[in-house]
Amino acid sequence: MRAHLLARDHGGMDPAPALYRIRIKGHLGATVLSAFPVLAPRHHGANTVLTGVLDQSALYGVLAEIEALGLDLLEVCRLIPDGKSPGSGDSHSP
């Protein structure tokens, strides 16, 4: 399935760097993970979670790389500074 970027909504995204959590279906191996050198990977259940600080252009670059590699993107979440994730309910999971 192809993901499409949404149109800007009332002022758009903040271009300042922010902490993101990106969840991808499946366990990614070292070769695929090398495509995301600025993100910290960890396995969470049957998925891989990539976490790191990205500005807007870097985020779009990561999303483009995920699509180019044919990976199944499950979630992109901008984390608030205290580490809590609004609406996800699992920000304290290992």
Side-chain angles (χ1 to χ4, degrees), residues 35-68:
F36 309 103
V38 299
L39 298 173
R42 68 181 172 90
H43 291 120
H44 185 264
N47 303 316
T48 300
V49 176
L50 304 173
T51 307
V53 176
L54 303 168
D55 63 16
Q56 185 175 351
S57 64
L59 173 62
Y60 289 150
V62 167
L63 296 175
E65 190 69 24
I66 289 168
E67 182 178 20

